Amino acid sequence: MWSFRNRGGVKLQYHKELSSERAVVNMPLPRRLYLPLQQHIGAPAIPVVNVGDNVLKGQLIAKAAPGLSAPVHASSSGTVVAIEDHVAPHPSGLQQKTIVIETDGRECWAELPSPITDDFPLAVTPRELNSRVAAAGIVGMGGAAFPSAVKLDLKSRYQLDTLLINGAECEPYLTCDDRLMREEAAAVIDGVRILAYALEVQAVIFAIERNKPKALAAIREAARQEPWIQVMALPTRFPMGSERHLVLACTGRETPARKLTADMGVVVHNVATARAVARTVRSGEPLISRVVTVSGRGVREPANVNVPLGTLVEDLLAFCGGVHPVPYKLIGGGPMMGAPLPSVRVPVVKGTSGVLALTADEINDGAESPCIRCGKCVTACPCGLVPVEMAQLVRRGDLQGAQAIGLQDCVSCGSCSFICPSHIPLAHYFNFAKGQSGALDRDARRQDRIRALIQARNERAAREAEIKKAAAAARKAAKAAAAAAASVTAEASASAAEASTRQLEETT
Ligand code: SF4
Ligand code: SF4
């Protein structure tokens, strides 16, 4: 098996013991739910309800926009009290259009699509399954929040042969996938079979890091009757859960820069996504809740909580006993690839795998000092990049230079920042620079589009002028031909008249 040992990655303090033995508990329904229209990669959903409408649990409240998007459903029954800007779970703290529901506590369900209860092969086609997954608003629940139906549709454009299930959960603190695999292994394996059926692939690899022995045992037991599902125990090393590294570690296939794992024949889905797909197929339920790990030494009672989407982080933290006086940092997701939360008023969304309240002792946040050229960041980078050099170029504003040495290949894993003895926030530089170069690329693409439109317009005008010129020439030629024909006819008539006169004279 390929190993990180010869290709970067870091060994971390995992702190998973804070919550790994806490079984999943259900969060009581909050008084208000805040459901952003954009909980996924792609265009925001479009509201189909108005303020004052009563909604039922599982009811569609915002439909997917054309193109890449995902719909949003009501996580409980109640009344829509606002459609307004609300702080988003993003470090920028920017506001985002959000549907606010005042819950009625009755949990009245909307009419759901009929469940598909038959065993394999299912009575529905892969295409119909795909439509169900799209309509249920399921997105990648490992944090990326990419619409899952779009990933299932990759089979129409790529030669896929393998479905890879990501149960690595390589981020410190997070234990929600671990608990899901231990507590709902049969449902997870059912979801895996449904995904394989929808993708029409014959090979499945279920990858779990070795630091989750109970999850490994539970999944092996649940997949005992499915010899085509290969359960693989992976070394514990960060960032094993990054898609490209997982594919390389499990299949030996290396995904080249600017290519997708689908180019290598592999599609990766997260464990929680598989569970959500099973739920929507077997019960018709859309994606309206998820398991979230609440942890860190700043939380009084770390837990794994099944949370209705739209629940505020402050309600969730209160359910977990609240926080110790002043947590140093509040993070959405894991400490390596997650993002600082701008406020406790942000809601839990489809991609929220964790809410961490970390104390100062838990953060590797010393004051930044000059680079000592130790090269540790280079050794740690799992993508084979030279972070120290890239950071210098970014600082100088030389984005093109940074791109030339692989900026776009950086997977933002944070290993370089973690290992740096000078506490240089290298990954932050790269995230910022990728945002900048993304904007520049978009600008360049817009300019290209405008140039192409102008060129097309000029070509069309030239073509139309040619056509007009040809038509005018044709008209002129036709006129000349008609005039010539008329003169021939006139001559012929005159000769005929002359002949008739002559004949008349001879007769008389
Ligand atoms: S954040 Fe980017 S540059 Fe740093 S180690 Fe990870 S992949 Fe390499
Ligand atoms: S790890 Fe930090 S100090 Fe060492 S070379 Fe990289 S940037 Fe410089």
Side-chain angles (χ1 to χ4, degrees):
M1 186 199 293
W2 175 86
S3 157
F4 265 119
R5 287 185 202 295
N6 53 4
R7 186 72 179 277
V10 284
K11 199 92 184 143
L12 302 170
Q13 292 286 320
Y14 283 91
H15 307 290
K16 290 190 187 261
E17 69 289 350
L18 289 174
S19 58
S20 61
E21 294 314 309
R22 306 285 175 106
V24 176
V25 288
N26 287 321
M27 164 99 193
L29 192 60
R31 199 174 61 80
R32 283 193 171 194
L33 295 165
Y34 295 77
L35 292 150
L37 298 178
Q38 187 164 27
Q39 303 181 39
H40 50 267
I41 289 179
I46 302 163
V48 293
V49 290
N50 295 305
V51 174
D53 286 358
N54 291 324
V55 293
L56 297 170
K57 185 172 181 177
Q59 181 182 327
L60 179 78
I61 55 171
K63 64 180 183 183
L68 187 64
S69 185
V72 178
H73 300 78
S75 315
S76 188
S77 56
T79 307
V80 176
V81 291
I83 301 176
E84 63 185 12
D85 285 337
H86 185 85
V87 61
H90 186 271
S92 66
L94 288 175
Q95 307 262 317
Q96 201 177 49
K97 207 50 99 195
T98 300
I99 298 178
V100 186
I101 297 173
E102 180 105 33
T103 57
D104 59 15
R106 293 190 297 144
E107 299 271 48
C108 292
W109 279 94
E111 196 178 328
L112 299 177
S114 45
I116 301 167
T117 51
D118 48 329
D119 203 353
F120 294 88
L122 301 174
V124 290
T125 63
R127 182 181 284 273
E128 286 164 340
L129 264 185
N130 210 351
S131 305
R132 275 213 176 209
V133 170
I138 297 176
V139 302
M141 295 172 75
F146 191 85
S148 301
V150 178
K151 260 191 170 181
L152 291 179
D153 196 41
L154 288 175
K155 67 172 186 277
S156 60
R157 285 178 288 142
Y158 297 88
Q159 288 260 231
L160 304 177
D161 55 42
T162 304
L163 165 63
L164 179 47
I165 298 297
N166 187 352
E169 201 168 49
C170 62
E171 278 271 10
Y173 294 94
L174 300 188
T175 53
C176 49
D177 286 354
D178 183 12
R179 290 309 312 188
L180 213 49
M181 290 186 277
R182 284 156 70 176
E183 296 179 35
E184 297 197 50
V188 170
I189 290 296
D190 191 33
V192 171
R193 295 179 71 196
I194 294 168
L195 287 170
Y197 177 81
L199 281 164
E200 300 178 84
V201 296
Q202 307 300 323
V204 175
I205 300 174
F206 200 128
I208 305 173
E209 277 193 348
R210 284 204 190 100
N211 63 353
K212 290 176 267 298
K214 291 180 184 167
L216 263 166
I219 291 296
R220 281 202 167 116
E221 176 58 25
R224 206 153 41 93
Q225 306 298 329
E226 317 290 342
W228 54 287
I229 300 179
Q230 186 190 356
V231 182
M232 214 178 239
L234 299 175
T236 306
R237 195 162 178 89
F238 186 84
M240 186 58 86
S242 139
E243 276 199 12
R244 286 161 183 259
H245 298 103
L246 197 63
V247 169
L248 182 56
C250 295
T251 67
R253 301 179 199 174
E254 181 149 21
T255 310
R258 292 178 193 81
K259 293 275 180 194
L260 302 175
T261 61
D263 286 291
M264 313 315 294
V266 187
V267 167
V268 184
H269 281 282
N270 168 265
V271 166
T273 312
R275 174 68 187 90
V277 166
R279 178 169 285 168
T280 204
V281 169
R282 299 308 189 185
S283 71
E285 200 178 301
L287 182 56
I288 54 171
S289 66
R290 68 156 298 145
V291 179
V292 179
T293 298
V294 184
S295 192
R297 298 199 189 278
V299 178
R300 289 186 196 276
E301 295 165 23
N304 293 293
V305 190
N306 187 36
V307 186
L309 297 179
T311 300
L312 291 183
V313 163
E314 71 180 354
D315 291 337
L316 179 56
L317 288 171
F319 176 66
C320 296
V323 289
H324 292 298
V326 191
Y328 186 76
K329 208 171 201 177
L330 202 60
I331 293 176
M336 296 296 284
M337 298 180 79
L341 293 176
S343 152
V344 289
R345 299 277 306 159
V346 301
V348 168
V349 293
K350 295 176 182 180
T352 310
S353 50
V355 171
L356 308 180
L358 303 180
T359 59
D361 301 347
E362 294 173 284
I363 307 264
N364 181 24
D365 247 12
E368 186 177 335
S369 54
C371 171
I372 55 170
R373 313 293 293 178
C374 65
K376 285 188 178 175
C377 55
V378 182
T379 317
C381 180
C383 298
L385 305 174
V386 186
V388 53
E389 206 175 313
M390 254 171 20
Q392 276 171 3
L393 291 167
V394 172
R395 278 192 210 185
R396 269 192 245 132
D398 184 359
L399 285 186
Q400 280 188 337
Q403 278 175 335
I405 60 169
L407 177 66
Q408 298 306 326
D409 298 333
C410 164
V411 295
S412 302
C413 69
S415 300
C416 50
S417 308
F418 171 81
I419 208 84
C420 177
S422 299
H423 301 291
I424 300 173
L426 297 157
H428 286 196
Y429 285 124
F430 307 146
N431 289 340
F432 169 78
K434 280 192 277 184
Q436 292 283 98
S437 53
L440 289 177
D441 285 351
R442 275 193 297 282
D443 266 1
R445 278 201 298 275
R446 201 175 304 128
Q447 296 291 350
D448 284 350
R449 264 203 310 277
I450 291 169
R451 257 196 300 278
L453 284 172
I454 292 172
Q455 192 179 342
R457 194 196 58 192
N458 290 347
E459 283 172 3
R460 198 176 54 240
R463 268 198 313 276
E464 281 170 5
E466 280 296 312
I467 291 169
K468 273 187 193 154
K469 204 167 144 192
R475 268 198 310 277
K476 200 170 163 191
K479 217 167 162 182
S487 105
V488 169
T489 312
E491 269 177 36
S493 306
S495 341
E498 199 179 319
S500 309
T501 313
R502 230 183 354 256
Q503 198 177 13
L504 186 63
E505 281 170 359
E506 281 166 11
T507 315
T508 54

